[in-house]
Amino acid sequence: MVTSVPNRLPSGKNSTAEKLLVAASELMIERSSIEISLSDIAQKSGANAALVKYHFGNKDGLLLALLERNAATELSNLEYLLAQPITATAKLKLHIGGIIRAYYRFPYMNRLIHYLLHETSAGSADEVSKFFVAPLLDFHRRLLAEGESSGEFRKTDPVLFYTSLIGACDHLFFGRHAMSRATGVGPVTDEVCRQYIKHMETLICGGILTQAGEAAAAG
Amino acid sequence: MVTSVPNRLPSGKNSTAEKLLVAASELMIERSSIEISLSDIAQKSGANAALVKYHFGNKDGLLLALLERNAATELSNLEYLLAQPITATAKLKLHIGGIIRAYYRFPYMNRLIHYLLHETSAGSADEVSKFFVAPLLDFHRRLLAEGESSGEFRKTDPVLFYTSLIGACDHLFFGRHAMSRATGVGPVTDEVCRQYIKHMETLICGGILTQAGEAAAAG
């Protein structure tokens, strides 16, 4: 726990903190930007700006708490997925779609991760690593181990796998803006997400499935 | 051409401009950071800081010119690659290795691209799109078309292909720092690059090759 997030509470436990998080989330979606001010957040939530300081230390603390809340939801979905009585290949495909849809649903998540990892204090970056990077990498380790032991996946390094999958999914949202400037590539829509999920399934499954895995993917 | 880069000249044409670019490049490599000051650049190059303004408008203009010079070198390599009498599959593999090695050779390139695309004026972002994103996407279009027409590649959308390949390569360098904080993942070394090139070849080739392409990859 970093000192910049002194009074962070589990979501739902404190209605003012919760209201501030919801207001920040809605503002960033409305503006397609993470550039929001404390007074905007206060105004939208109907709370006093001083309460941001009380609950989250400062704006970065609030953004960190928001990202942590979203990450916690996604990570509990991963635990649920891992426990399902389906093949590792089916879990892998659901996971690929899950990442891309999560980024699509919370378009600011991607910008926030970049911002908190690279442009704020080392404390924020450590927190993001702890509640986002480490659990996701751990999930990949377990999923790959499951697929290898069932004979569906060839041996695949989890760190390299994480890097390629998360990098490719992240870039649909982070890189798209730059691409559309130069080339008339359109924005990321529902349909683009569906196409990219299919594309990534083909790449990742093509790259790591054994023949047994391909049979599982087709079945 | 944006107005912030008023006196930019082709590399090698102006020895002071060239010295400033070399000094900036060396400083960013030494410090593993793009946070360098005009006076540091001037001191290292032995030139007057006012010359940065004369040649490049300002520091962002200098960084943009440096990135453009590196991009021009890489893109001329791509043209050369495309003209070789080898299979599209062989070109694809060489290209994957080429991207990862270029990022490894110029570790600041990745940070500069993110910085110039997202944190500076729209003019810089347009320039980066024009000299980096658009030509690379165009190369992917032509390489994919070649492989499809030779029967080596299945039909693959170039924009989705670009997004996944560049995103995955980029993330080895951009995301690694965050990963190592949380999990004891080490830095990117020569050996990690070699492993990642192999991993990406497997993913990308697994995902887009037809049976004919797989024969070309093996042969």
Side-chain angles (χ1 to χ4, degrees), chain A residues 176 179 185 192 195-196 199, chain B residues 137 140-141 144 148 154-164 208:
Chain A
R176 191 77 174 189
M179 294 176 71
V185 175
V192 169
Q195 289 168 357
Y196 200 60
H199 171 78
Chain B
L137 181 54
H140 287 167
R141 276 188 216 285
L144 290 172
E148 281 163 29
R154 58 179 92 173
K155 195 154 177 49
T156 303
D157 181 288
V159 174
L160 302 183
F161 176 82
Y162 171 102
T163 306
S164 53
I208 81 167

mmCIF file with all atom_site columns, all heavy atoms in Angstrom, chain A residues 176 179 185 192 195-196 199, chain B residues 137 140-141 144 148 154-164 208:
data_model
loop_
_atom_site.group_PDB
_atom_site.id
_atom_site.type_symbol
_atom_site.label_atom_id
_atom_site.label_alt_id
_atom_site.label_comp_id
_atom_site.label_asym_id
_atom_site.label_entity_id
_atom_site.label_seq_id
_atom_site.pdbx_PDB_ins_code
_atom_site.Cartn_x
_atom_site.Cartn_y
_atom_site.Cartn_z
_atom_site.occupancy
_atom_site.B_iso_or_equiv
_atom_site.pdbx_formal_charge
_atom_site.auth_seq_id
_atom_site.auth_comp_id
_atom_site.auth_asym_id
_atom_site.auth_atom_id
_atom_site.pdbx_PDB_model_num
ATOM 1   N N   . ARG A 1 176 ? -4.164  3.145   -32.294 1.00 0.00 ? 176 ARG A N   1
ATOM 2   C CA  . ARG A 1 176 ? -5.170  3.411   -33.316 1.00 0.00 ? 176 ARG A CA  1
ATOM 3   C C   . ARG A 1 176 ? -5.243  4.877   -33.718 1.00 0.00 ? 176 ARG A C   1
ATOM 4   O O   . ARG A 1 176 ? -5.414  5.216   -34.884 1.00 0.00 ? 176 ARG A O   1
ATOM 5   C CB  . ARG A 1 176 ? -6.538  2.965   -32.780 1.00 0.00 ? 176 ARG A CB  1
ATOM 6   C CG  . ARG A 1 176 ? -7.626  2.938   -33.831 1.00 0.00 ? 176 ARG A CG  1
ATOM 7   C CD  . ARG A 1 176 ? -7.486  1.724   -34.706 1.00 0.00 ? 176 ARG A CD  1
ATOM 8   N NE  . ARG A 1 176 ? -8.582  1.581   -35.631 1.00 0.00 ? 176 ARG A NE  1
ATOM 9   C CZ  . ARG A 1 176 ? -8.777  0.514   -36.372 1.00 0.00 ? 176 ARG A CZ  1
ATOM 10  N NH1 . ARG A 1 176 ? -7.952  -0.505  -36.304 1.00 0.00 ? 176 ARG A NH1 1
ATOM 11  N NH2 . ARG A 1 176 ? -9.788  0.440   -37.223 1.00 0.00 ? 176 ARG A NH2 1
ATOM 12  N N   . MET A 1 179 ? -2.588  5.700   -36.103 1.00 0.00 ? 179 MET A N   1
ATOM 13  C CA  . MET A 1 179 ? -2.801  5.084   -37.402 1.00 0.00 ? 179 MET A CA  1
ATOM 14  C C   . MET A 1 179 ? -3.846  5.859   -38.199 1.00 0.00 ? 179 MET A C   1
ATOM 15  O O   . MET A 1 179 ? -3.719  6.031   -39.402 1.00 0.00 ? 179 MET A O   1
ATOM 16  C CB  . MET A 1 179 ? -3.262  3.642   -37.233 1.00 0.00 ? 179 MET A CB  1
ATOM 17  C CG  . MET A 1 179 ? -2.205  2.766   -36.615 1.00 0.00 ? 179 MET A CG  1
ATOM 18  S SD  . MET A 1 179 ? -2.822  1.113   -36.338 1.00 0.00 ? 179 MET A SD  1
ATOM 19  C CE  . MET A 1 179 ? -2.910  0.537   -38.036 1.00 0.00 ? 179 MET A CE  1
ATOM 20  N N   . VAL A 1 185 ? -7.445  5.114   -41.381 1.00 0.00 ? 185 VAL A N   1
ATOM 21  C CA  . VAL A 1 185 ? -7.962  3.984   -40.609 1.00 0.00 ? 185 VAL A CA  1
ATOM 22  C C   . VAL A 1 185 ? -9.001  4.545   -39.629 1.00 0.00 ? 185 VAL A C   1
ATOM 23  O O   . VAL A 1 185 ? -8.737  5.536   -38.962 1.00 0.00 ? 185 VAL A O   1
ATOM 24  C CB  . VAL A 1 185 ? -6.828  3.292   -39.838 1.00 0.00 ? 185 VAL A CB  1
ATOM 25  C CG1 . VAL A 1 185 ? -7.366  2.201   -38.937 1.00 0.00 ? 185 VAL A CG1 1
ATOM 26  C CG2 . VAL A 1 185 ? -5.781  2.738   -40.791 1.00 0.00 ? 185 VAL A CG2 1
ATOM 27  N N   . VAL A 1 192 ? -14.865 -3.576  -35.262 1.00 0.00 ? 192 VAL A N   1
ATOM 28  C CA  . VAL A 1 192 ? -13.396 -3.684  -35.269 1.00 0.00 ? 192 VAL A CA  1
ATOM 29  C C   . VAL A 1 192 ? -12.941 -4.595  -34.123 1.00 0.00 ? 192 VAL A C   1
ATOM 30  O O   . VAL A 1 192 ? -12.056 -5.430  -34.300 1.00 0.00 ? 192 VAL A O   1
ATOM 31  C CB  . VAL A 1 192 ? -12.738 -2.294  -35.169 1.00 0.00 ? 192 VAL A CB  1
ATOM 32  C CG1 . VAL A 1 192 ? -11.240 -2.412  -34.909 1.00 0.00 ? 192 VAL A CG1 1
ATOM 33  C CG2 . VAL A 1 192 ? -12.991 -1.483  -36.432 1.00 0.00 ? 192 VAL A CG2 1
ATOM 34  N N   . GLN A 1 195 ? -13.530 -8.156  -35.123 1.00 0.00 ? 195 GLN A N   1
ATOM 35  C CA  . GLN A 1 195 ? -12.524 -8.589  -36.103 1.00 0.00 ? 195 GLN A CA  1
ATOM 36  C C   . GLN A 1 195 ? -11.168 -8.821  -35.437 1.00 0.00 ? 195 GLN A C   1
ATOM 37  O O   . GLN A 1 195 ? -10.457 -9.772  -35.765 1.00 0.00 ? 195 GLN A O   1
ATOM 38  C CB  . GLN A 1 195 ? -12.349 -7.523  -37.198 1.00 0.00 ? 195 GLN A CB  1
ATOM 39  C CG  . GLN A 1 195 ? -13.524 -7.414  -38.141 1.00 0.00 ? 195 GLN A CG  1
ATOM 40  C CD  . GLN A 1 195 ? -13.441 -6.164  -39.010 1.00 0.00 ? 195 GLN A CD  1
ATOM 41  O OE1 . GLN A 1 195 ? -12.534 -5.355  -38.859 1.00 0.00 ? 195 GLN A OE1 1
ATOM 42  N NE2 . GLN A 1 195 ? -14.390 -6.020  -39.924 1.00 0.00 ? 195 GLN A NE2 1
ATOM 43  N N   . TYR A 1 196 ? -10.820 -7.950  -34.502 1.00 0.00 ? 196 TYR A N   1
ATOM 44  C CA  . TYR A 1 196 ? -9.504  -8.079  -33.863 1.00 0.00 ? 196 TYR A CA  1
ATOM 45  C C   . TYR A 1 196 ? -9.468  -9.299  -32.951 1.00 0.00 ? 196 TYR A C   1
ATOM 46  O O   . TYR A 1 196 ? -8.445  -9.988  -32.858 1.00 0.00 ? 196 TYR A O   1
ATOM 47  C CB  . TYR A 1 196 ? -9.149  -6.800  -33.092 1.00 0.00 ? 196 TYR A CB  1
ATOM 48  C CG  . TYR A 1 196 ? -7.661  -6.654  -32.824 1.00 0.00 ? 196 TYR A CG  1
ATOM 49  C CD1 . TYR A 1 196 ? -6.751  -6.588  -33.877 1.00 0.00 ? 196 TYR A CD1 1
ATOM 50  C CD2 . TYR A 1 196 ? -7.165  -6.561  -31.535 1.00 0.00 ? 196 TYR A CD2 1
ATOM 51  C CE1 . TYR A 1 196 ? -5.389  -6.444  -33.639 1.00 0.00 ? 196 TYR A CE1 1
ATOM 52  C CE2 . TYR A 1 196 ? -5.802  -6.407  -31.293 1.00 0.00 ? 196 TYR A CE2 1
ATOM 53  C CZ  . TYR A 1 196 ? -4.925  -6.354  -32.345 1.00 0.00 ? 196 TYR A CZ  1
ATOM 54  O OH  . TYR A 1 196 ? -3.568  -6.208  -32.105 1.00 0.00 ? 196 TYR A OH  1
ATOM 55  N N   . HIS A 1 199 ? -8.873  -12.110 -35.220 1.00 0.00 ? 199 HIS A N   1
ATOM 56  C CA  . HIS A 1 199 ? -7.486  -12.056 -35.694 1.00 0.00 ? 199 HIS A CA  1
ATOM 57  C C   . HIS A 1 199 ? -6.520  -12.564 -34.612 1.00 0.00 ? 199 HIS A C   1
ATOM 58  O O   . HIS A 1 199 ? -5.630  -13.380 -34.892 1.00 0.00 ? 199 HIS A O   1
ATOM 59  C CB  . HIS A 1 199 ? -7.153  -10.603 -36.082 1.00 0.00 ? 199 HIS A CB  1
ATOM 60  C CG  . HIS A 1 199 ? -5.713  -10.349 -36.380 1.00 0.00 ? 199 HIS A CG  1
ATOM 61  N ND1 . HIS A 1 199 ? -5.125  -10.712 -37.574 1.00 0.00 ? 199 HIS A ND1 1
ATOM 62  C CD2 . HIS A 1 199 ? -4.719  -9.775  -35.640 1.00 0.00 ? 199 HIS A CD2 1
ATOM 63  C CE1 . HIS A 1 199 ? -3.836  -10.365 -37.557 1.00 0.00 ? 199 HIS A CE1 1
ATOM 64  N NE2 . HIS A 1 199 ? -3.572  -9.793  -36.403 1.00 0.00 ? 199 HIS A NE2 1
ATOM 65  N N   . LEU B 1 137 ? 2.856   0.604   -42.392 1.00 0.00 ? 137 LEU B N   1
ATOM 66  C CA  . LEU B 1 137 ? 1.577   -0.027  -42.743 1.00 0.00 ? 137 LEU B CA  1
ATOM 67  C C   . LEU B 1 137 ? 1.543   -0.360  -44.233 1.00 0.00 ? 137 LEU B C   1
ATOM 68  O O   . LEU B 1 137 ? 1.075   -1.436  -44.636 1.00 0.00 ? 137 LEU B O   1
ATOM 69  C CB  . LEU B 1 137 ? 0.427   0.919   -42.354 1.00 0.00 ? 137 LEU B CB  1
ATOM 70  C CG  . LEU B 1 137 ? -0.999  0.448   -42.611 1.00 0.00 ? 137 LEU B CG  1
ATOM 71  C CD1 . LEU B 1 137 ? -1.271  -0.903  -41.974 1.00 0.00 ? 137 LEU B CD1 1
ATOM 72  C CD2 . LEU B 1 137 ? -2.001  1.477   -42.069 1.00 0.00 ? 137 LEU B CD2 1
ATOM 73  N N   . HIS B 1 140 ? 3.489   -3.455  -44.826 1.00 0.00 ? 140 HIS B N   1
ATOM 74  C CA  . HIS B 1 140 ? 2.714   -4.644  -44.435 1.00 0.00 ? 140 HIS B CA  1
ATOM 75  C C   . HIS B 1 140 ? 1.684   -5.009  -45.498 1.00 0.00 ? 140 HIS B C   1
ATOM 76  O O   . HIS B 1 140 ? 1.496   -6.175  -45.809 1.00 0.00 ? 140 HIS B O   1
ATOM 77  C CB  . HIS B 1 140 ? 2.036   -4.415  -43.070 1.00 0.00 ? 140 HIS B CB  1
ATOM 78  C CG  . HIS B 1 140 ? 2.999   -4.452  -41.923 1.00 0.00 ? 140 HIS B CG  1
ATOM 79  N ND1 . HIS B 1 140 ? 2.684   -4.018  -40.659 1.00 0.00 ? 140 HIS B ND1 1
ATOM 80  C CD2 . HIS B 1 140 ? 4.291   -4.865  -41.853 1.00 0.00 ? 140 HIS B CD2 1
ATOM 81  C CE1 . HIS B 1 140 ? 3.730   -4.181  -39.869 1.00 0.00 ? 140 HIS B CE1 1
ATOM 82  N NE2 . HIS B 1 140 ? 4.714   -4.675  -40.569 1.00 0.00 ? 140 HIS B NE2 1
ATOM 83  N N   . ARG B 1 141 ? 1.009   -3.998  -46.044 1.00 0.00 ? 141 ARG B N   1
ATOM 84  C CA  . ARG B 1 141 ? 0.035   -4.258  -47.110 1.00 0.00 ? 141 ARG B CA  1
ATOM 85  C C   . ARG B 1 141 ? 0.676   -4.999  -48.271 1.00 0.00 ? 141 ARG B C   1
ATOM 86  O O   . ARG B 1 141 ? 0.131   -5.970  -48.790 1.00 0.00 ? 141 ARG B O   1
ATOM 87  C CB  . ARG B 1 141 ? -0.491  -2.922  -47.686 1.00 0.00 ? 141 ARG B CB  1
ATOM 88  C CG  . ARG B 1 141 ? -1.616  -2.296  -46.924 1.00 0.00 ? 141 ARG B CG  1
ATOM 89  C CD  . ARG B 1 141 ? -2.173  -1.085  -47.706 1.00 0.00 ? 141 ARG B CD  1
ATOM 90  N NE  . ARG B 1 141 ? -2.579  -0.003  -46.817 1.00 0.00 ? 141 ARG B NE  1
ATOM 91  C CZ  . ARG B 1 141 ? -3.688  -0.013  -46.087 1.00 0.00 ? 141 ARG B CZ  1
ATOM 92  N NH1 . ARG B 1 141 ? -4.518  -1.038  -46.142 1.00 0.00 ? 141 ARG B NH1 1
ATOM 93  N NH2 . ARG B 1 141 ? -3.971  0.997   -45.297 1.00 0.00 ? 141 ARG B NH2 1
ATOM 94  N N   . LEU B 1 144 ? 1.903   -8.622  -47.271 1.00 0.00 ? 144 LEU B N   1
ATOM 95  C CA  . LEU B 1 144 ? 0.770   -9.548  -47.147 1.00 0.00 ? 144 LEU B CA  1
ATOM 96  C C   . LEU B 1 144 ? 0.201   -9.885  -48.524 1.00 0.00 ? 144 LEU B C   1
ATOM 97  O O   . LEU B 1 144 ? -0.124  -11.040 -48.802 1.00 0.00 ? 144 LEU B O   1
ATOM 98  C CB  . LEU B 1 144 ? -0.318  -8.953  -46.236 1.00 0.00 ? 144 LEU B CB  1
ATOM 99  C CG  . LEU B 1 144 ? 0.040   -8.861  -44.743 1.00 0.00 ? 144 LEU B CG  1
ATOM 100 C CD1 . LEU B 1 144 ? -1.030  -8.090  -43.967 1.00 0.00 ? 144 LEU B CD1 1
ATOM 101 C CD2 . LEU B 1 144 ? 0.238   -10.250 -44.122 1.00 0.00 ? 144 LEU B CD2 1
ATOM 102 N N   . GLU B 1 148 ? -0.092  -13.556 -50.059 1.00 0.00 ? 148 GLU B N   1
ATOM 103 C CA  . GLU B 1 148 ? -1.399  -14.107 -50.448 1.00 0.00 ? 148 GLU B CA  1
ATOM 104 C C   . GLU B 1 148 ? -1.377  -14.543 -51.902 1.00 0.00 ? 148 GLU B C   1
ATOM 105 O O   . GLU B 1 148 ? -1.899  -15.600 -52.252 1.00 0.00 ? 148 GLU B O   1
ATOM 106 C CB  . GLU B 1 148 ? -2.506  -13.056 -50.232 1.00 0.00 ? 148 GLU B CB  1
ATOM 107 C CG  . GLU B 1 148 ? -2.934  -12.953 -48.765 1.00 0.00 ? 148 GLU B CG  1
ATOM 108 C CD  . GLU B 1 148 ? -3.711  -11.673 -48.452 1.00 0.00 ? 148 GLU B CD  1
ATOM 109 O OE1 . GLU B 1 148 ? -4.388  -11.141 -49.370 1.00 0.00 ? 148 GLU B OE1 1
ATOM 110 O OE2 . GLU B 1 148 ? -3.628  -11.194 -47.305 1.00 0.00 ? 148 GLU B OE2 1
ATOM 111 N N   . ARG B 1 154 ? -2.627  -16.911 -45.632 1.00 0.00 ? 154 ARG B N   1
ATOM 112 C CA  . ARG B 1 154 ? -4.078  -16.794 -45.737 1.00 0.00 ? 154 ARG B CA  1
ATOM 113 C C   . ARG B 1 154 ? -4.430  -15.305 -45.756 1.00 0.00 ? 154 ARG B C   1
ATOM 114 O O   . ARG B 1 154 ? -3.626  -14.450 -45.393 1.00 0.00 ? 154 ARG B O   1
ATOM 115 C CB  . ARG B 1 154 ? -4.780  -17.510 -44.592 1.00 0.00 ? 154 ARG B CB  1
ATOM 116 C CG  . ARG B 1 154 ? -4.399  -17.023 -43.219 1.00 0.00 ? 154 ARG B CG  1
ATOM 117 C CD  . ARG B 1 154 ? -5.172  -17.770 -42.143 1.00 0.00 ? 154 ARG B CD  1
ATOM 118 N NE  . ARG B 1 154 ? -4.400  -18.943 -41.708 1.00 0.00 ? 154 ARG B NE  1
ATOM 119 C CZ  . ARG B 1 154 ? -4.746  -19.717 -40.694 1.00 0.00 ? 154 ARG B CZ  1
ATOM 120 N NH1 . ARG B 1 154 ? -5.858  -19.488 -40.038 1.00 0.00 ? 154 ARG B NH1 1
ATOM 121 N NH2 . ARG B 1 154 ? -4.001  -20.756 -40.336 1.00 0.00 ? 154 ARG B NH2 1
ATOM 122 N N   . LYS B 1 155 ? -5.642  -14.996 -46.184 1.00 0.00 ? 155 LYS B N   1
ATOM 123 C CA  . LYS B 1 155 ? -6.048  -13.596 -46.291 1.00 0.00 ? 155 LYS B CA  1
ATOM 124 C C   . LYS B 1 155 ? -6.000  -12.948 -44.897 1.00 0.00 ? 155 LYS B C   1
ATOM 125 O O   . LYS B 1 155 ? -6.590  -13.440 -43.955 1.00 0.00 ? 155 LYS B O   1
ATOM 126 C CB  . LYS B 1 155 ? -7.454  -13.504 -46.891 1.00 0.00 ? 155 LYS B CB  1
ATOM 127 C CG  . LYS B 1 155 ? -7.772  -12.110 -47.359 1.00 0.00 ? 155 LYS B CG  1
ATOM 128 C CD  . LYS B 1 155 ? -8.816  -12.070 -48.481 1.00 0.00 ? 155 LYS B CD  1
ATOM 129 C CE  . LYS B 1 155 ? -9.101  -10.613 -48.800 1.00 0.00 ? 155 LYS B CE  1
ATOM 130 N NZ  . LYS B 1 155 ? -7.855  -9.808  -48.986 1.00 0.00 ? 155 LYS B NZ  1
ATOM 131 N N   . THR B 1 156 ? -5.259  -11.864 -44.766 1.00 0.00 ? 156 THR B N   1
ATOM 132 C CA  . THR B 1 156 ? -5.051  -11.220 -43.471 1.00 0.00 ? 156 THR B CA  1
ATOM 133 C C   . THR B 1 156 ? -5.216  -9.710  -43.620 1.00 0.00 ? 156 THR B C   1
ATOM 134 O O   . THR B 1 156 ? -4.635  -9.122  -44.519 1.00 0.00 ? 156 THR B O   1
ATOM 135 C CB  . THR B 1 156 ? -3.624  -11.538 -42.961 1.00 0.00 ? 156 THR B CB  1
ATOM 136 O OG1 . THR B 1 156 ? -3.465  -12.958 -42.893 1.00 0.00 ? 156 THR B OG1 1
ATOM 137 C CG2 . THR B 1 156 ? -3.387  -10.950 -41.579 1.00 0.00 ? 156 THR B CG2 1
ATOM 138 N N   . ASP B 1 157 ? -6.003  -9.122  -42.750 1.00 0.00 ? 157 ASP B N   1
ATOM 139 C CA  . ASP B 1 157 ? -6.225  -7.673  -42.798 1.00 0.00 ? 157 ASP B CA  1
ATOM 140 C C   . ASP B 1 157 ? -4.943  -6.936  -42.400 1.00 0.00 ? 157 ASP B C   1
ATOM 141 O O   . ASP B 1 157 ? -4.426  -7.143  -41.293 1.00 0.00 ? 157 ASP B O   1
ATOM 142 C CB  . ASP B 1 157 ? -7.364  -7.316  -41.841 1.00 0.00 ? 157 ASP B CB  1
ATOM 143 C CG  . ASP B 1 157 ? -7.661  -5.820  -41.856 1.00 0.00 ? 157 ASP B CG  1
ATOM 144 O OD1 . ASP B 1 157 ? -6.857  -5.026  -41.320 1.00 0.00 ? 157 ASP B OD1 1
ATOM 145 O OD2 . ASP B 1 157 ? -8.695  -5.456  -42.427 1.00 0.00 ? 157 ASP B OD2 1
ATOM 146 N N   . PRO B 1 158 ? -4.414  -6.058  -43.262 1.00 0.00 ? 158 PRO B N   1
ATOM 147 C CA  . PRO B 1 158 ? -3.138  -5.396  -42.958 1.00 0.00 ? 158 PRO B CA  1
ATOM 148 C C   . PRO B 1 158 ? -3.197  -4.510  -41.709 1.00 0.00 ? 158 PRO B C   1
ATOM 149 O O   . PRO B 1 158 ? -2.212  -4.444  -40.968 1.00 0.00 ? 158 PRO B O   1
ATOM 150 C CB  . PRO B 1 158 ? -2.867  -4.520  -44.194 1.00 0.00 ? 158 PRO B CB  1
ATOM 151 C CG  . PRO B 1 158 ? -3.730  -5.063  -45.263 1.00 0.00 ? 158 PRO B CG  1
ATOM 152 C CD  . PRO B 1 158 ? -4.922  -5.676  -44.594 1.00 0.00 ? 158 PRO B CD  1
ATOM 153 N N   . VAL B 1 159 ? -4.311  -3.834  -41.473 1.00 0.00 ? 159 VAL B N   1
ATOM 154 C CA  . VAL B 1 159 ? -4.394  -2.948  -40.307 1.00 0.00 ? 159 VAL B CA  1
ATOM 155 C C   . VAL B 1 159 ? -4.375  -3.771  -39.011 1.00 0.00 ? 159 VAL B C   1
ATOM 156 O O   . VAL B 1 159 ? -3.683  -3.432  -38.046 1.00 0.00 ? 159 VAL B O   1
ATOM 157 C CB  . VAL B 1 159 ? -5.643  -2.042  -40.377 1.00 0.00 ? 159 VAL B CB  1
ATOM 158 C CG1 . VAL B 1 159 ? -5.799  -1.246  -39.090 1.00 0.00 ? 159 VAL B CG1 1
ATOM 159 C CG2 . VAL B 1 159 ? -5.544  -1.094  -41.567 1.00 0.00 ? 159 VAL B CG2 1
ATOM 160 N N   . LEU B 1 160 ? -5.114  -4.872  -38.997 1.00 0.00 ? 160 LEU B N   1
ATOM 161 C CA  . LEU B 1 160 ? -5.110  -5.739  -37.809 1.00 0.00 ? 160 LEU B CA  1
ATOM 162 C C   . LEU B 1 160 ? -3.726  -6.383  -37.641 1.00 0.00 ? 160 LEU B C   1
ATOM 163 O O   . LEU B 1 160 ? -3.214  -6.500  -36.521 1.00 0.00 ? 160 LEU B O   1
ATOM 164 C CB  . LEU B 1 160 ? -6.195  -6.809  -37.921 1.00 0.00 ? 160 LEU B CB  1
ATOM 165 C CG  . LEU B 1 160 ? -7.636  -6.310  -38.092 1.00 0.00 ? 160 LEU B CG  1
ATOM 166 C CD1 . LEU B 1 160 ? -8.612  -7.479  -38.111 1.00 0.00 ? 160 LEU B CD1 1
ATOM 167 C CD2 . LEU B 1 160 ? -8.026  -5.310  -36.998 1.00 0.00 ? 160 LEU B CD2 1
ATOM 168 N N   . PHE B 1 161 ? -3.129  -6.769  -38.762 1.00 0.00 ? 161 PHE B N   1
ATOM 169 C CA  . PHE B 1 161 ? -1.797  -7.375  -38.722 1.00 0.00 ? 161 PHE B CA  1
ATOM 170 C C   . PHE B 1 161 ? -0.773  -6.388  -38.154 1.00 0.00 ? 161 PHE B C   1
ATOM 171 O O   . PHE B 1 161 ? -0.003  -6.714  -37.248 1.00 0.00 ? 161 PHE B O   1
ATOM 172 C CB  . PHE B 1 161 ? -1.391  -7.801  -40.143 1.00 0.00 ? 161 PHE B CB  1
ATOM 173 C CG  . PHE B 1 161 ? -0.003  -8.358  -40.232 1.00 0.00 ? 161 PHE B CG  1
ATOM 174 C CD1 . PHE B 1 161 ? 0.241   -9.681  -39.897 1.00 0.00 ? 161 PHE B CD1 1
ATOM 175 C CD2 . PHE B 1 161 ? 1.059   -7.565  -40.647 1.00 0.00 ? 161 PHE B CD2 1
ATOM 176 C CE1 . PHE B 1 161 ? 1.530   -10.197 -39.960 1.00 0.00 ? 161 PHE B CE1 1
ATOM 177 C CE2 . PHE B 1 161 ? 2.351   -8.067  -40.716 1.00 0.00 ? 161 PHE B CE2 1
ATOM 178 C CZ  . PHE B 1 161 ? 2.581   -9.392  -40.374 1.00 0.00 ? 161 PHE B CZ  1
ATOM 179 N N   . TYR B 1 162 ? -0.777  -5.171  -38.687 1.00 0.00 ? 162 TYR B N   1
ATOM 180 C CA  . TYR B 1 162 ? 0.122   -4.105  -38.202 1.00 0.00 ? 162 TYR B CA  1
ATOM 181 C C   . TYR B 1 162 ? -0.052  -3.923  -36.695 1.00 0.00 ? 162 TYR B C   1
ATOM 182 O O   . TYR B 1 162 ? 0.911   -3.889  -35.933 1.00 0.00 ? 162 TYR B O   1
ATOM 183 C CB  . TYR B 1 162 ? -0.193  -2.794  -38.930 1.00 0.00 ? 162 TYR B CB  1
ATOM 184 C CG  . TYR B 1 162 ? 0.529   -1.575  -38.367 1.00 0.00 ? 162 TYR B CG  1
ATOM 185 C CD1 . TYR B 1 162 ? 1.648   -1.063  -39.006 1.00 0.00 ? 162 TYR B CD1 1
ATOM 186 C CD2 . TYR B 1 162 ? 0.092   -0.950  -37.207 1.00 0.00 ? 162 TYR B CD2 1
ATOM 187 C CE1 . TYR B 1 162 ? 2.317   0.050   -38.499 1.00 0.00 ? 162 TYR B CE1 1
ATOM 188 C CE2 . TYR B 1 162 ? 0.758   0.162   -36.692 1.00 0.00 ? 162 TYR B CE2 1
ATOM 189 C CZ  . TYR B 1 162 ? 1.863   0.650   -37.336 1.00 0.00 ? 162 TYR B CZ  1
ATOM 190 O OH  . TYR B 1 162 ? 2.510   1.736   -36.821 1.00 0.00 ? 162 TYR B OH  1
ATOM 191 N N   . THR B 1 163 ? -1.306  -3.795  -36.265 1.00 0.00 ? 163 THR B N   1
ATOM 192 C CA  . THR B 1 163 ? -1.598  -3.525  -34.856 1.00 0.00 ? 163 THR B CA  1
ATOM 193 C C   . THR B 1 163 ? -1.018  -4.607  -33.949 1.00 0.00 ? 163 THR B C   1
ATOM 194 O O   . THR B 1 163 ? -0.384  -4.317  -32.931 1.00 0.00 ? 163 THR B O   1
ATOM 195 C CB  . THR B 1 163 ? -3.120  -3.424  -34.644 1.00 0.00 ? 163 THR B CB  1
ATOM 196 O OG1 . THR B 1 163 ? -3.648  -2.464  -35.555 1.00 0.00 ? 163 THR B OG1 1
ATOM 197 C CG2 . THR B 1 163 ? -3.461  -3.008  -33.229 1.00 0.00 ? 163 THR B CG2 1
ATOM 198 N N   . SER B 1 164 ? -1.229  -5.856  -34.337 1.00 0.00 ? 164 SER B N   1
ATOM 199 C CA  . SER B 1 164 ? -0.798  -6.950  -33.464 1.00 0.00 ? 164 SER B CA  1
ATOM 200 C C   . SER B 1 164 ? 0.726   -7.094  -33.473 1.00 0.00 ? 164 SER B C   1
ATOM 201 O O   . SER B 1 164 ? 1.345   -7.273  -32.417 1.00 0.00 ? 164 SER B O   1
ATOM 202 C CB  . SER B 1 164 ? -1.472  -8.267  -33.857 1.00 0.00 ? 164 SER B CB  1
ATOM 203 O OG  . SER B 1 164 ? -1.287  -8.546  -35.232 1.00 0.00 ? 164 SER B OG  1
ATOM 204 N N   . ILE B 1 208 ? -0.689  -16.949 -39.715 1.00 0.00 ? 208 ILE B N   1
ATOM 205 C CA  . ILE B 1 208 ? -1.048  -16.532 -41.075 1.00 0.00 ? 208 ILE B CA  1
ATOM 206 C C   . ILE B 1 208 ? -0.601  -17.465 -42.191 1.00 0.00 ? 208 ILE B C   1
ATOM 207 O O   . ILE B 1 208 ? -1.058  -17.315 -43.318 1.00 0.00 ? 208 ILE B O   1
ATOM 208 C CB  . ILE B 1 208 ? -0.608  -15.073 -41.391 1.00 0.00 ? 208 ILE B CB  1
ATOM 209 C CG1 . ILE B 1 208 ? 0.856   -14.976 -41.780 1.00 0.00 ? 208 ILE B CG1 1
ATOM 210 C CG2 . ILE B 1 208 ? -0.928  -14.104 -40.263 1.00 0.00 ? 208 ILE B CG2 1
ATOM 211 C CD1 . ILE B 1 208 ? 1.163   -13.608 -42.396 1.00 0.00 ? 208 ILE B CD1 1
#
